[in-house]
Amino acid sequence: MKKGLLIVFSGPSGVGKGTVLKEVEKDEELKIVYSVSMTTRQPREGEIEGVNYFFVTPQEFQEAVANGEMLEYARYAGNFYGTPRSFVEQEREKGNNVLLEIEVQGAKQVMEKAKDCVSIFITPPSLEELERRIRGRQTETEEKIAERIATAHRELQETDRYDHVICNDDLQKAVEEVKAVIRAEMEKE
Ligand code: ADP
Ligand code: 5GP
C-alpha cells in the first residue's frame, strides 16, 4: 500500500487555519487525519482534551521531549507545542494523509527530517484583517493579541520555505486551493 502524505499546514494565529481545515477534512476522498498536538497552553472555552490538543504540564511536555516522543516541538507565545511522533507514523503506514497544523519553527524541523513532506502556508489578505480576525474570535487577552501579531510579522517572512502559499481571503476559494494541492500530491507517483 502507498504510504500516506505528511502535510505541514502553517499560518499566523487567526488567519483561519482551523476554519479552512474543517472544510477540507469533510472531503473523505482526501483521507486526511489530523495530528493532535501536545501543548502546555491552557484550554480555551470549548476545546476538548484529545480532540483539539493534549493539554499537559510543562513537566509532562519536557518528559515527552526527553523520551524522544516528539517529531518536532517549539515554543510559541510563551507555551510549548509539539507533535507526537507515533501517531504520524502509524497513520501514514495505513495510507492516511497526516496533517500537522504547526507554526514555522516546528515546520522547519519537519521539512528537514521528512524531505517528502508537502508544506502549505496560509496568509491573510492583510495584517489589519488578521488583527480583526484574532479580535473577532475573542479568545485572547490584549497582551496575547499583541504578541500573536508581532509573531505574525516574523512568520510572514518565512513563507519562502513552503511549497505552496495560499491566501485566505475568500474562504471557499482557499478551501478549494488547499484541496487541489492535496489531490495533486496524491496523484503523484
Ligand atoms: P486559526 O486556526 O488560524 O488561528 P481560526 O480558524 O480560528 O484561525 O479563524 C480566526 C477567525 O477568523 C474566526 O473567527 C473565523 O471565523 C474567521 N475567518 C476564517 N476564515 C475567514 C475568511 N476567509 N474570511 C473572514 N473571516 C474568516
Ligand atoms: P493556538 O494557541 O492558537 O492553538 O496555536 C498557536 C500556534 O501553535 C499556531 O500557529 C499553531 O499552528 C501552532 N501549533 C499547534 N500545534 C503545534 C505543534 O504541535 N507544533 C508546533 N511547532 N506548533 C504547533
Side-chain angles (χ1 to χ4, degrees), residues 9 11-21 44 101 122 125 129-130 132-139 148 167-172 174:
F9 196 73
S13 176
V15 73
K17 298 182 296 297
T19 310
V20 170
L21 277 185
R44 293 184 186 132
E101 197 234 281
I122 305 293
E129 172 61 14
L130 179 67
R132 260 195 297 280
R133 289 185 194 174
I134 298 180
R135 288 185 187 282
R137 198 170 58 185
Q138 297 186 323
T139 52
R148 281 167 186 253
C167 178
N168 180 21
D169 187 351
D170 176 71
L171 177 63
Q172 215 43 51

Side-chain angles (χ1 to χ4, degrees), residues 47-95:
E47 283 186 329
I48 301 165
E49 163 71 20
V51 174
N52 304 96
Y53 282 105
F54 296 109
F55 296 98
V56 298
T57 63
Q59 192 189 341
E60 286 169 323
F61 195 95
Q62 291 308 336
E63 275 168 20
V65 171
N67 292 336
E69 291 168 28
M70 300 307 224
L71 174 62
E72 61 72 35
Y73 72 96
R75 194 179 165 92
Y76 177 95
N79 289 296
F80 285 102
Y81 295 81
T83 304
R85 183 196 303 277
S86 58
F87 177 84
V88 173
E89 285 169 7
Q90 282 161 19
E91 292 297 321
R92 288 188 76 190
E93 288 304 326
K94 282 191 225 164

Side-chain angles (χ1 to χ4, degrees), residues 1 18 30-32 34 42 56 74 90 101 106 110 117-118 120 132 137 144 169 173-174 184 186:
M1 188 200 279
L30 298 179
K31 296 204 291 183
I32 292 176
Y34 180 83
Q42 293 298 309
V56 298
Q90 282 161 19
E101 197 234 281
V110 176
C117 75
V118 184
I120 303 172
R132 260 195 297 280
R137 198 170 58 185
K144 289 284 177 195
D169 187 351
K173 185 173 135 280
M186 287 172 76

